């Protein structure tokens, strides 16, 4: 099953470093960032988990929760967390899913549904596609998916930027332009008439009839 933007994020129960969770219940009325890893004790992932631990307060400010996944047992995650804190200077406080039966990786189309076996005997290379990021909204729908190669560390500042854009555009009839950052000008959507724009976005600029720019609304 392929997953697309606006699909309901598949629900699951799983063991994590914070105990057993029901994913949808765990999300509650918040945003969630699920990011996955092919194996514990892998170098690039070590840096990623450490960086997410450092910037977790930024997600908390945005009413968003972090949850990691790795194709290994929870007991391994806890040992790995000690290495992450030692080498990256930040303690992992968000939960980490132990996906030993590959169930979540398959459910989220990161491994083929027909893949056999468990985490035993698998290597990072055989789990190479378990390198995805999903942003899931409070409505439990998938808002973004990204998949990275094993050799390229993910840019989690970009995930924060996208989250800012999503939360802004969910509240106002605007879109964000290329390379937009929080606080910069935004684009009025084409669904808004000029008359409505004059009321909602006084002082907006028309560059083309389909390209109207305004200050970021609050």
């Amino acid at each position: 099953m392929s997953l697309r933007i606006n699909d309901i994020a598949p629900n699951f129960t799983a063991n994590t470093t914070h105990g057993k969770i029901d994913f949808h219940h765990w999300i509650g009325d918040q945003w969630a960032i699920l990011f996955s890893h092919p194996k514990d004790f892998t170098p690039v992932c070590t840096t990623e988990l450490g960086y997410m631990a450092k910037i977790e307060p930024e997600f908390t400010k945005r009413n968003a929760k972090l949850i990691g996944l790795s194709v290994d047992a929870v007991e391994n995650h806890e040992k790995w967390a000690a290495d992450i804190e030692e080498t990256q200077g930040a303690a992992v406080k968000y939960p980490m899913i132990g996906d030993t039966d590959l169930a979540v990786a398959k459910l989220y189309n990161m491994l083929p549904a027909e893949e056999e076996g468990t985490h035993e005997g698998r290597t990072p290379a055989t789990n190479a596609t378990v390198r995805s990021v999903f942003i899931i909204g409070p409505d439990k729908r998938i808002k973004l998916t990204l998949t990275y190669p094993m050799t390229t560390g993910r840019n989690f500042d970009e995930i924060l930027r996208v989250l800012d854009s999503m939360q802004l555009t969910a509240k106002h009839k605007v879109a964000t332009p290329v390379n937009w950052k929080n606080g910069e000008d935004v684009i009025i959507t084409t669904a808004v008439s000029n008359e409505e724009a004059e009321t909602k976005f006084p002082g907006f600029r028309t560059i083309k009839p389909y390209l109207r720019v305004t200050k970021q609304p609050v």
Side-chain angles (χ1 to χ4, degrees), residues 12 14-21 67-68 74 77-78 95-98:
F12 58 85
N15 292 319
T16 79
T17 51
H18 289 195
K20 193 168 187 176
I21 66 162
I67 188 164
V74 167
H77 295 354
E78 291 167 346
M96 283 282 291
I97 297 165

Side-chain angles (χ1 to χ4, degrees), residues 72-202:
D72 259 322
V74 167
E75 294 76 14
N76 276 1
H77 295 354
E78 291 167 346
K79 295 174 184 175
W80 190 18
D83 283 1
I84 293 164
E85 184 173 7
E86 177 189 346
T87 62
Q88 307 304 309
V92 175
K93 297 179 182 177
Y94 50 82
M96 283 282 291
I97 297 165
D99 197 24
T100 55
D101 59 1
L102 316 180
V104 182
K106 293 177 186 177
L107 190 62
Y108 276 73
N109 202 37
M110 295 182 281
L111 287 173
E114 63 273 13
E115 193 85 2
E116 296 182 351
T118 68
H119 73 117
E120 295 289 349
R122 297 183 69 87
T123 68
T126 55
N127 297 334
T129 50
V130 189
R131 287 275 299 153
S132 294
V133 181
F134 299 87
I135 296 182
I136 299 162
D139 58 359
K140 313 303 183 293
R141 292 188 180 275
I142 294 171
K143 307 298 183 181
L144 170 143
T145 64
L146 288 171
T147 302
Y148 284 69
M150 286 198 304
T151 52
T152 302
R154 287 172 272 199
N155 184 342
F156 287 117
D157 291 337
E158 167 66 0
I159 302 304
L160 275 173
R161 189 191 76 88
V162 172
L163 184 60
D164 281 339
S165 172
M166 289 176 173
Q167 292 183 339
L168 177 70
T169 58
K171 185 178 179 183
H172 301 281
K173 294 180 180 180
V174 298
T176 55
V178 62
N179 295 334
W180 173 87
K181 293 180 182 177
N182 195 17
E184 296 179 348
D185 289 355
V186 297
I187 295 168
I188 302 169
T189 65
T190 55
V192 178
S193 68
N194 283 332
E195 291 75 20
E196 185 182 358
E198 287 169 1
T199 301
K200 289 183 176 294
F201 310 108

Side-chain angles (χ1 to χ4, degrees), residues 54-64 160 163:
K54 288 177 183 175
I55 66 171
E56 184 176 14
E58 291 299 320
F59 287 99
T60 302
K61 288 178 190 175
R62 293 160 171 82
N63 194 37
L160 275 173
L163 184 60

